[in-house]
């Protein structure tokens, strides 16, 4: 067979978790990292504000507080053993990044500088705690660059701009993946003992999103097609502060540094919704508050946006109102110059896309689709688990945003995604290499690329009436409106019907490009197919969950219902239909209670 | 508003030679050039190919020539360039298809400067971070911003003229580590960039600095590298 490669471990995706997995797996096994992008283009690079670890470099902090905050942030849907594991590993994980050369900002003593972020608190006082370690407002960029650089140093094998299309499963074990080399259009089979999915999220199913074009749910869709389940897909995070209409992320770090949200009447509104931590409540709470203000007519100029105010004089005024102090007890102040150093990219985005200066003008913002809490079910070692008893699937691993451990439950705290990808990317890499040492290669199917070819041929040979761009645009709009921040039965049922229609239309898309070299039209069509699969599962799971919890807000079931719904959703695709099952939540130390910020 | 978008086209599967296609579009002046390309791809010609991912200037995928200057298509708005817009692939790298160029020589140059942190000394006894003062950290802040989009390197006449010049982006990477107080391989990197393929090929044209979508003061960074290669001092 042409184009067959053999590796012990194959990693799919080269963002933070894929690179971390590749780095660790390659120390113990022959490893390849395959990505549809050049690794440094991955979406980890768009993360801004920070990565949390309870160093306590500026004030008292401890991993137990980080653990509790994460459990509470998850609205008690996160698995507490996994959360505790992650928060305990956080300090060593961030130190490891520093030892790899990551240029964190520094305290006067030369230690890693930390800032406030939503939902991270001193558990005794209930006040925000400085836990987010950062490199200006490009922390994700620095993590991505540093991990890629370390992979180069350690001679990790990369296959850049190869799109993985299919996962090969033989005898109930992972056997490899099939990918198309974008530059030539040729299919390649990667025969492997272990496969790690690190394929990121799927925010591109929504109209307004902070996510990259690449975020089309490829990994989740590939696993669905191979009969494996996804977990908690109804939980998607809408970040409170995206640039109006464009959705470009404005880091929570702006509020961490003292910025506040202001409605169309010029009022600071977060104290009404979260009297203790106000603008630093967790993201689901803040996004709903913004929507409520807009719905009740207090958007700016009657439009669907509010302001984020980061003008130094405003920050100082509101900090004084809140009694906010520096670590030495003096009143909190900030200058435009200091702010510019802490948030240079935010200033740049505002200048470029809005033509405004956030030092003297307020930023128009609206919630933006941001993060996939659900995904491929795994345990805390990155092993993919496929049922309610957490049975591991031999040789298959997942980490990062595509995975659901679950450490984020129903709502992720800011900074915990970067932590997640470093911690679980590492463990997935270690476990996969360990597994590969004692496992044998499974025999490849006679025609390993058959399924991938069939998918591409189906697209190429469609009857050609439908337009990928149009279907995609309709999907994004409906998903954002009806399966977005607020959801109800009527809207979701309508969305599910429409998804079925789009799936039908999708069978008849027109592909004008008949070439092989960088056929991005064919690739984009295939990605749309993935988005439709994922959107379908999200809408079905969201309709099924009759309660409100974290990022899942039902207008028709407004309360959290622990009696009936303190459980994970598992969803399979069988004969084109979504089948739903459940899995218990692991609760160790923290019994669910009302969530107040 | 009405704009004309002229796009460089070349599809090796069908075209013997490159050509330009012109599209008349009705769009908002606040739209990104990337939005225009997406519109053309969606409604005029699906075969138009270009790289893109983050769409807000941080991933480095969509550097191209827009009205003759290297820019990111996602970080350039119509109002920045006017109603007659010409889009072409980066110069100095082989065109593979339409706006997609062969990035391998670019990344090969990057890899030559040891673009990774090197410190083989024992970790601090407390196991914690290597200390670095805010001043030491600020020393190399500018060059940590690089997203490897190649806008700088492919704007450089020295790069166009010589296959072996490392180019501005690789030198930016060298600067990022050479001036990091924690790194221990400055002398090795200075040796690499002192070769004829290195800093001596920079003739301070400033194209790189003007092209950088991250506003890195590249020519200045290269100047600091030149000084370091001459004096052997890094400060």
């Amino acid at each position: 067979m042409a184009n067959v490669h053999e590796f012990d471990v194959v990693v799919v995706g080269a963002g933070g978790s894929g690179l971390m997995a590749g780095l660790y797996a390659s120390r113990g096994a022959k490893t390849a990292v395959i990505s549809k992008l050049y690794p440094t283009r991955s979406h980890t690079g768009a993360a801004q504000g920070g990565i949390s670890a309870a160093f306590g470099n500026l004030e008292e902090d401890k991993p137990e507080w980080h653990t509790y905050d994460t459990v509470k942030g998850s609205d008690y849907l996160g698995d507490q053993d996994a959360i505790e594991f992650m928060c305990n590993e956080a300090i060593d994980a961030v130190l490891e990044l520093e030892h790899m050369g990551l240029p964190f900002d520094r305290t006067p003593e030369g230690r890693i500088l930390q800032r406030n972020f939503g939902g991270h608190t001193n558990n005794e006082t209930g006040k925000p705690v400085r836990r987010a370690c950062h490199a200006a407002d490009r922390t994700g960029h620095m993590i991505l660059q540093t991990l890629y650089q370390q992979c180069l140093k350690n001679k990790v094998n990369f296959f850049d701009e190869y799109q993985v299309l299919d996962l090969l499963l033989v005898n109930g074990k992972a056997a490899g993946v099939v990918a198309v080399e974008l530059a030539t259009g040729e299919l390649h089979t990667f025969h492997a003992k272990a496969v790690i999915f690190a394929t990121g999220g799927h925010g591109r199913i929504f109209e307004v999103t902070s996510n990259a074009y690449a975020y089309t749910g490829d990994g989740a869709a590939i696993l669905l097609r191979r009969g494996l389940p996804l977990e908690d897909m109804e939980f998607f995070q809408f970040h409170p502060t995206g640039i109006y209409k464009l959705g470009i992320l404005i880091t929570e770090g702006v509020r961490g540094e003292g910025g506040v949200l202001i409605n169309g009447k010029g009022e600071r509104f977060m104290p009404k919704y979260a009297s203790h931590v106000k603008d630093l409540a967790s993201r689901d709470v803040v996004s709903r508050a913004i929507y409520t203000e807009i719905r009740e007519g207090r958007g700016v100029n009657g439009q669907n946006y509010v302001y984020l105010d980061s003008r130094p004089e405003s920050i100082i005024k509101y900090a004084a109102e809140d009694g906010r102090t520096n670590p030495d007890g003096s009143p909190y102040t900030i200058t435009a110059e200091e702010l510019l150093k802490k948030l240079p990219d935010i200033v740049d985005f505002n200048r470029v896309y809005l033509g405004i200066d956030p030092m003297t003008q307020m930023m128009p913002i609206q919630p933006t689709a941001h993060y996939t809490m659900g995904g491929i079910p795994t345990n805390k070692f990155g092993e993919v688990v496929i049922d309610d008893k957490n049975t591991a699937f031999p040789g298959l691993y997942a980490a990062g945003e595509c995975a659901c451990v679950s450490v984020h439950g129903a709502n992720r705290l800011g900074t915990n995604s970067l932590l997640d990808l470093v911690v679980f990317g590492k463990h997935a890499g270690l476990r996969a290499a360990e597994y590969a040492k004692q496992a044998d290669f499974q025999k490849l199917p006679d025609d390993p690329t058959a399924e991938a070819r069939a998918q591409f041929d189906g697209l190429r040979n469609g009857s050609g009436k439908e337009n990928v761009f149009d279907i995609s645009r309709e999907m994004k709009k409906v998903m954002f409106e009806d399966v977005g921040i607020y959801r109800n039965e009527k809207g979701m049922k309508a969305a599910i019907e429409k998804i079925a229609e789009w799936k039908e239309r999708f069978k008849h898309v027109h592909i004008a490009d008949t070439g092989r070299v960088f056929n991005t039209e064919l690739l984009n069509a295939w990605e749309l197919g993935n988005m439709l699969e994922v959107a379908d599962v999200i809408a079905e799971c969201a309709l099924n969950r009759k309660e409100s919890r974290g990022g899942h807000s039902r207008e028709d079931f407004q309360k959290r219902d622990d009696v009936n719904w303190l459980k994970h959703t598992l969803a399979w695709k069988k004969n084109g239909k979504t089948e739903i099952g459940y899995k218990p939540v692991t609760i160790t130390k923290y019994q669910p209670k009302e969530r107040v910020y | 508003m009405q704009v004309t978008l002229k796009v460089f086209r070349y599809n090796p599967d069908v075209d013997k030679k490159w050509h330009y296609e012109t599209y008349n579009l009705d769009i908002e002046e606040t739209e990104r050039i990337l939005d225009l390309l997406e519109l053309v791809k969606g409604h005029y010609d699906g075969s138009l190919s270009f790289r893109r991912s983050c769409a807000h200037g941080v991933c480095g995928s969509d550097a191209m020539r827009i009205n003759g200057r290297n820019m990111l298509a996602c970080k350039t708005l119509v109002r920045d360039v006017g109603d007659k817009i010409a889009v072409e692939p980066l110069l100095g790298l082989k065109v593979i298809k339409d706006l997609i160029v062969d990035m391998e020589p670019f990344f090969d140059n990057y890899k030559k400067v040891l673009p990774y942190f090197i410190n083989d000394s024992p970790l601090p006894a407390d196991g914690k971070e290597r200390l670095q003062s805010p001043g030491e950290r600020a020393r190399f802040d500018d060059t940590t911003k690089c997203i490897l989009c190649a806008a700088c390197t492919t704007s450089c006449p020295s790069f166009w003229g010589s296959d072996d010049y490392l180019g501005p982006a690789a030198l930016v990477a060298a600067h990022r580590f050479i001036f990091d107080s924690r790194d221990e391989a400055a002398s090795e990197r200075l040796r690499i960039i002192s070769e004829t393929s290195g800093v001596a090929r920079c003739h301070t044209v400033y194209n790189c600095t003007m092209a950088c979508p991250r506003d890195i003061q590249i020519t200045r960074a290269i100047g600091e590298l030149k000084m370091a290669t001459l004096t052997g001092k890094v400060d």
Side-chain angles (χ1 to χ4, degrees):
Chain A
M1 275 181 288
N3 296 334
V4 176
H5 312 265
E6 198 172 275
F7 288 94
D8 294 328
V9 179
V10 160
V11 183
V12 184
S17 61
L19 293 174
M20 198 71 181
L23 199 53
Y24 269 88
S26 64
R27 289 176 187 170
K30 189 184 169 198
T31 301
V33 179
I34 308 171
S35 174
K36 70 189 206 179
L37 304 169
Y38 274 100
T40 58
R41 314 302 186 213
S42 305
H43 200 53
T44 298
Q48 298 170 355
I51 174 169
S52 272
F55 283 106
N57 282 351
L58 295 127
E59 57 189 324
E60 188 188 6
D61 197 8
K62 38 188 150 184
E64 300 88 79
W65 292 354
H66 188 185
T67 301
Y68 172 70
D69 288 341
T70 304
V71 170
K72 179 182 172 185
S74 80
D75 219 348
Y76 296 91
L77 192 70
D79 291 314
Q80 295 181 12
D81 55 338
I83 292 173
E84 189 169 359
F85 177 78
M86 178 179 79
C87 295
N88 284 339
E89 294 231 334
I91 289 175
D92 284 344
V94 172
L95 285 174
E96 184 179 13
L97 292 173
E98 198 283 330
H99 297 155
M100 289 176 178
L102 198 142
F104 285 108
D105 290 349
R106 300 288 170 156
T107 67
E109 298 76 33
R111 301 218 170 268
I112 295 170
L113 187 58
Q114 300 182 278
R115 63 161 61 113
N116 289 319
F117 241 77
H120 293 280
T121 65
N122 174 317
N123 287 183
E124 280 160 19
T125 63
K127 296 237 162 151
V129 71
R130 295 171 183 87
R131 186 178 289 150
C133 311
H134 56 87
D137 52 358
R138 56 177 184 280
T139 313
H141 164 78
M142 295 317 328
I143 289 178
L144 185 65
Q145 296 282 328
T146 301
L147 291 177
Y148 180 59
Q149 290 157 355
Q150 289 298 309
C151 283
L152 293 180
K153 186 179 181 183
N154 289 283
K155 305 199 180 343
V156 173
N157 299 297
F158 283 102
F159 290 83
D160 299 332
E161 298 191 319
Y162 279 61
Q163 171 71 54
V164 167
L165 301 171
D166 192 22
L167 166 66
L168 301 174
L169 304 176
V170 177
N171 301 324
K173 292 177 180 168
V177 297
V178 175
V180 58
E181 181 183 5
L182 301 183
T184 62
E186 285 181 19
L187 291 179
H188 292 249
T189 303
F190 291 85
H191 193 194
K193 294 176 181 173
V195 175
I196 303 173
F197 270 62
T199 52
H202 47 251
R204 279 275 156 182
I205 65 170
F206 296 104
E207 184 180 26
V208 178
T209 179
S210 63
N211 284 188
Y213 274 101
Y215 259 32
T216 52
D218 305 343
I222 288 169
L223 262 68
L224 276 178
R225 283 188 204 110
R226 284 296 179 188
L228 297 173
L230 299 177
E231 180 176 346
D232 290 341
M233 290 297 279
E234 61 272 40
F235 295 101
F236 198 91
Q237 177 165 82
F238 291 81
H239 191 292
T241 55
I243 290 180
Y244 179 49
K245 287 185 178 169
L246 288 168
I248 295 169
L249 180 65
I250 299 294
T251 175
E252 199 168 308
V254 173
R255 282 171 288 136
E257 302 293 353
V260 295
L261 293 162
I262 302 288
N263 67 20
K265 293 178 135 182
E267 301 159 344
R268 182 191 188 191
F269 56 86
M270 276 314 297
K272 276 191 297 191
Y273 301 90
S275 59
H276 297 287
V277 293
K278 304 181 180 94
D279 298 83
L280 287 172
S282 71
R283 290 176 177 172
D284 57 331
V285 174
V286 181
S287 285
R288 277 193 296 274
I290 293 170
Y291 251 63
T292 304
E293 290 295 307
I294 289 169
R295 283 179 163 198
E296 293 178 359
R298 293 187 296 278
V300 176
N301 298 326
Q303 303 291 308
N304 293 335
Y305 68 92
V306 296
Y307 284 129
L308 174 58
D309 189 351
S310 68
R311 296 173 297 180
E313 65 272 22
S314 302
I315 289 178
I316 292 166
K317 180 179 109 182
Y318 291 113
E321 272 181 30
D322 294 349
R324 183 173 175 177
T325 55
N326 292 314
D328 66 4
S330 60
Y332 180 82
T333 60
I334 199 155
T335 63
E337 195 188 352
E338 288 165 337
L339 211 50
L340 184 60
K341 277 199 188 126
K342 287 170 185 285
L343 303 165
D345 283 357
I346 297 305
V347 174
D348 187 41
F349 296 154
N350 276 278
R351 181 177 55 75
V352 171
Y353 297 107
L354 299 169
I356 70 168
D357 174 8
M359 299 303 160
T360 57
Q361 292 164 289
M362 296 192 283
M363 305 172 235
I365 59 92
Q366 74 177 121
T368 182
H370 185 58
Y371 187 84
T372 302
M373 264 88 68
I376 303 164
T378 72
N379 60 25
K380 65 185 179 190
F381 304 112
E383 295 168 330
V384 172
V385 293
I386 54 168
D387 57 24
D388 58 346
K389 295 179 189 63
N390 285 318
T391 307
F393 191 98
L396 189 57
Y397 304 81
E401 189 169 345
C402 74
C404 179
V405 183
S406 160
V407 286
H408 309 305
N411 172 67
R412 175 173 71 75
L413 289 191
T415 71
N416 273 352
S417 60
L418 292 177
L419 181 58
D420 168 348
L421 59 81
V422 177
V423 169
F424 297 108
K426 168 182 165 177
H427 285 283
L430 284 171
R431 274 289 159 122
E434 217 172 88
Y435 172 85
K437 261 187 206 153
Q438 48 83 28
D440 295 321
F441 281 100
Q442 297 301 307
K443 187 176 173 295
L444 283 176
D446 291 339
D447 186 2
T449 62
E451 165 67 20
R453 276 202 320 274
Q455 287 186 39
F456 267 16
D457 289 346
L459 291 169
R460 279 198 175 110
N461 304 331
S463 67
K465 288 185 208 127
E466 295 290 344
N467 181 305
V468 168
F469 194 75
D470 289 340
I471 299 174
S472 178
R473 195 170 46 188
E474 288 173 41
M475 171 194 70
K476 289 165 199 278
K477 194 167 163 51
V478 168
M479 288 301 289
F480 194 69
E481 281 171 11
D482 291 335
V483 197
I485 293 180
Y486 280 108
R487 301 163 170 181
N488 61 50
E489 183 177 312
K490 189 167 162 246
M492 286 189 286
K493 280 191 167 162
I496 289 166
E497 276 178 30
K498 283 182 188 140
I499 293 167
E501 280 171 34
W502 297 322
K503 280 186 164 181
E504 194 51 41
R505 283 170 60 193
F506 177 69
K507 291 179 187 161
H508 308 287
V509 291
H510 176 64
I511 307 291
D513 194 341
T514 56
R516 296 178 311 121
V517 175
F518 275 103
N519 192 332
T520 54
E521 186 182 23
L522 183 62
L523 180 68
N524 292 167
W526 183 77
E527 289 171 329
L528 173 62
N530 297 338
M531 289 195 282
L532 289 169
E533 287 296 342
V534 170
D536 191 13
V537 170
I538 290 175
E540 292 274 9
C541 293
L543 177 65
N544 181 64
R545 183 175 283 270
K546 295 178 181 59
E547 65 157 353
S548 289
R549 182 186 297 271
H552 175 63
S553 303
R554 292 276 306 241
E555 291 166 317
D556 39 0
F557 300 94
Q558 296 188 2
K559 289 260 186 283
R560 193 176 83 196
D561 176 0
D562 288 334
V563 176
N564 295 303
W565 290 103
L566 185 55
K567 56 189 178 188
H568 297 295
T569 305
L570 293 176
W572 290 260
K573 270 280 167 203
K574 287 189 181 151
N575 303 318
K577 292 244 176 329
T578 304
E579 280 187 17
I580 289 178
Y582 302 99
K583 182 165 92 169
V585 175
T586 305
I587 292 171
T588 56
K589 294 179 182 161
Y590 308 103
Q591 287 305 312
K593 57 182 181 186
E594 198 191 350
R595 190 160 156 258
V596 180
Y597 281 101
Chain B
M1 66 185 279
Q2 294 288 329
V3 301
T4 56
L5 179 71
K6 192 171 97 171
V7 185
F8 178 99
R9 299 300 308 269
Y10 172 67
N11 183 346
D13 284 315
V14 288
D15 298 331
K16 286 207 173 65
K17 192 174 177 295
W18 55 268
H19 64 285
Y20 289 93
E21 292 276 352
T22 300
Y23 306 92
N24 295 307
L25 306 173
D26 185 15
I27 45 92
E28 305 284 329
E29 63 161 18
T30 51
E31 289 191 70
R32 297 165 275 205
I33 303 306
L34 178 61
D35 299 324
L36 273 52
L37 293 172
E38 286 288 331
L39 182 64
V40 169
K41 188 173 180 64
H43 280 156
Y44 296 84
D45 184 352
S47 72
L48 174 62
S49 291
F50 47 91
R51 292 187 177 102
R52 85 282 195 261
S53 192
C54 78
H56 66 287
V58 298
C59 82
S61 295
D62 63 353
M64 53 188 72
R65 268 185 301 153
I66 300 170
N67 287 354
R69 300 178 73 131
N70 285 0
M71 302 185 185
L72 298 179
C74 64
K75 216 179 166 184
T76 306
L77 307 189
V78 172
R79 69 177 174 215
D80 301 332
V81 291
D83 59 359
K84 289 195 174 43
I85 305 161
V87 179
E88 300 164 291
L90 296 172
L91 283 174
L93 294 170
K94 190 180 150 230
V95 175
I96 299 177
K97 181 184 182 185
D98 295 336
L99 302 167
I100 296 176
V101 296
D102 180 7
M103 294 293 288
E104 289 301 315
F106 173 80
F107 279 104
D108 287 346
N109 281 345
Y110 172 70
K111 289 168 192 167
K112 284 177 190 161
V113 301
L114 313 178
Y116 36 77
F117 186 70
I118 298 174
N119 182 330
D120 296 328
S121 300
L123 293 171
D126 62 4
K128 290 192 175 170
E129 63 268 60
R130 292 192 169 92
L131 298 180
Q132 182 169 54
S133 73
E136 288 168 334
R137 168 66 180 78
R139 183 66 189 84
F140 64 104
D141 185 68
D142 201 33
T143 46
T144 67
K145 297 189 297 194
C146 176
I147 56 175
L148 297 169
C149 69
C152 59
T153 294
T154 60
S155 74
C156 174
S158 289
F159 179 76
W160 299 336
S162 61
D163 288 340
D164 64 343
Y165 176 37
L166 290 169
L171 295 173
V172 163
H175 183 281
R176 177 255 173 271
F177 290 103
I178 288 170
F179 287 89
D180 184 337
S181 58
R182 303 167 299 166
D183 186 272
E184 293 180 336
S187 56
E188 176 65 6
R189 289 193 198 89
L190 287 174
R191 190 191 59 71
I192 293 167
I193 65 167
S194 300
E195 291 172 7
T196 52
S197 58
V199 288
R201 296 274 172 122
C202 167
H203 304 303
T204 53
V205 176
Y206 278 92
N207 273 11
C208 54
T209 302
M210 294 202 290
C212 179
R214 302 286 292 152
D215 293 331
I216 300 170
Q217 298 302 304
I218 302 174
T219 311
R220 178 182 170 150
I222 296 173
E224 291 172 356
L225 290 172
K226 287 177 180 170
M227 192 63 87
T229 60
L230 292 172
T231 63
K233 282 191 198 145
V234 175
D235 48 28

